[in-house]
Amino acid sequence: MIIPVNALFVALAAVCGLVILRTILSARALLYHLGRWWRWVDERVQAYQYFEIPRYNEGSQENPLYRKAAAYVASLPSIEDADAATLSSSGRKPNDFLLHLGPGQSVPDSFLGARLSWSNRPPGGGCLVLRVRRQDRTRVLRPYLQHVESVANEIELRRREVRLFTNSGSGDCGEGPRWRSVPFTHPSTLDTVAIDPELKTRVRADLEAFVKGRAYYHRLGRVWRRSYLLYGPPGTGKTTFAAAMAKFLCYDIYDVDLSRLAADGADLRSLLLQTAPRSVILVEDLDRYLSGNQGQSSSARLTGMLGFMDGVFSCCGEERLMVVTMSGGDGGMEELDPAMLRPGRLDVHIHFPLCDFSAFKTMASRYLGLEDHKLYPQVEEGFQYGAQLSPAEVGEIMIANRVSPSRAIKSVISALQQSTNGGGGRKLCESWSTEGGGGELGFGKDFTTMREFRKLYGLLKMKYGSRKEGVMPVKVAAAAAAAGTLLDKDYSS
């Protein structure tokens, strides 16, 4: 049997490749075992001190330090390299998987140049053991435990269930108003809200600085809290932005229903004392409450609200964020008492305007997946001519027409026309019709009529100009000139 030379060379090359691959793998395995042997020798040479953290105290109560240490160990990247680990899910969020150190396993860690390790010892219901070299014990032990606690607090804050609280009526025996809560499942985040990107970045940085500013506020002798005023016309996303702030901080929301409260502020103070740290206190439509006629004097309502926002009772608790919304716009702000708007009561003022072309493009990218469209110039023309639509109205049009981006853009143009012609952009049901289903839409009736006249004029010129060297009949030219003059007059007016 004669074996072809090419087949022989292929077989030899395959054998050589397998030998080289096996050698490389053997070398890596050898290096791995040498590394483990070296660490074993180093551990036997060094002097260590061990600190046990039992899961339960002497009173059979759970040790808070054990919970924080377990959360910290589960966050270490090195736990994925452990020989055995326990995998679980929080059940609160999708794809939120947790790794816990298996019994008898250990994971290394480092802090300030010192090498540490954690191990899990199962006797007595579980016990975590921290191992530190004796020469590093005095230098790193306390700072390391503070680091563990800080990281664990952040992990628990991100994974806790955020709840929405609202105040009910007076409780039994005249106890006053109470809070009732439900899980807060609002889907908005700072990444999904459609506001100016630069403003969003500034708000995000301000919130992060607030969360980390406990020592700074205490050094200044100020209460650790911050307040925001969100003002603008209805439908501009103020409440959604407040929800996104709470989701970003993982804070509970206390939504204050002002219509259920007394005018003297006693109910407000009682509710404030019942709020917990790490919470957002939301007060909506403050301008309407202060100017409303609910059988209460405006001065009494103003006095009660001022005490609620910056009185002595507002200092009973820290790490709170107060968010106030107003729908009256700039005019509503001018009618308020300046004491209400000063820093200390409302630190940051954020204006939410009506939709413009830049915000429209951002929403079209998110809602429809469009980066550009041939009808964009007409949309921009509509905004330039003073058409006013709120982001909520534009978003509803895009949601209703999400299967056809072109139809959605045409419906927005139709709503802009209605706004310019006095409709105010409120007749959104008309945008669902087939009015914009075919042909090209222009902005405004005059634009559409002018475009149709130009087409007619071009057809007449082509028809008669070819016969008489481009000269139109006198009657046709006069009619066209009269129509053009009339259109120009209507357009200019």
Side-chain angles (χ1 to χ4, degrees), residues 364-382:
S365 176
R366 291 179 47 237
Y367 284 71
L368 306 174
L370 293 178
E371 297 299 332
D372 197 4
H373 196 274
K374 63 181 181 180
L375 297 178
Y376 272 15
Q378 298 179 39
V379 178
E380 184 177 11
E381 188 178 29

Side-chain angles (χ1 to χ4, degrees), residues 397-469:
I397 293 175
M398 293 181 177
I399 291 176
N401 300 276
R402 60 185 179 275
V403 296
S404 177
S406 296
R407 187 172 63 202
I409 303 301
K410 294 175 182 178
S411 299
V412 171
I413 296 174
S414 178
L416 291 172
Q417 293 174 358
Q418 296 173 17
S419 174
T420 305
N421 295 332
R426 299 294 185 265
K427 300 178 182 178
L428 298 183
C429 57
E430 296 180 8
S431 65
W432 300 349
S433 65
T434 58
E435 178 183 355
E440 184 181 12
L441 286 175
F443 178 71
K445 179 175 65 177
D446 296 333
F447 284 94
T448 305
T449 308
M450 177 67 75
R451 190 174 289 109
E452 293 175 353
F453 168 75
R454 288 175 179 173
K455 289 181 180 179
L456 175 62
Y457 177 80
L459 291 174
L460 293 174
K461 185 175 181 180
M462 291 176 58
K463 179 177 180 180
Y464 292 97
S466 60
R467 298 180 180 179
K468 297 185 178 183
E469 298 179 357

Side-chain angles (χ1 to χ4, degrees), residues 39 61 104 146 203 236 287 302 392 395 411 426 429 431 436 457 481 488:
R39 288 192 294 270
Q61 296 180 350
Q146 294 174 359
V203 172
T236 51
D287 51 340
L302 177 62
S411 299
R426 299 294 185 265
C429 57
S431 65
Y457 177 80
D488 291 338

Side-chain angles (χ1 to χ4, degrees), residues 108-147:
D109 193 14
S110 61
F111 183 76
L112 298 179
R115 289 183 299 176
L116 309 96
S117 69
W118 291 91
S119 58
N120 185 9
R121 293 182 182 176
C127 178
L128 288 176
V129 180
L130 172 63
R131 189 186 67 177
V132 187
R133 290 192 298 184
R134 286 186 176 273
Q135 62 188 29
D136 298 328
R137 176 192 58 187
T138 305
R139 181 174 63 92
V140 304
L141 179 60
R142 290 188 177 276
Y144 180 69
L145 292 177
Q146 294 174 359
H147 168 70

Side-chain angles (χ1 to χ4, degrees), residues 6 17 66 69 86-87 159 180 218 319 409 424 472 486-487:
N6 292 339
Y66 176 88
T86 303
L87 184 63
R159 289 176 176 169
R180 293 184 178 180
H218 286 184
E319 200 171 359
I409 303 301
M472 296 174 59
L486 179 61
L487 287 174

Side-chain angles (χ1 to χ4, degrees), residues 16 18 41 55 89 128 278 443 454:
C16 292
L18 290 174
V41 173
R55 184 170 185 175
S89 175
L128 288 176
R278 294 180 178 177
F443 178 71
R454 288 175 179 173

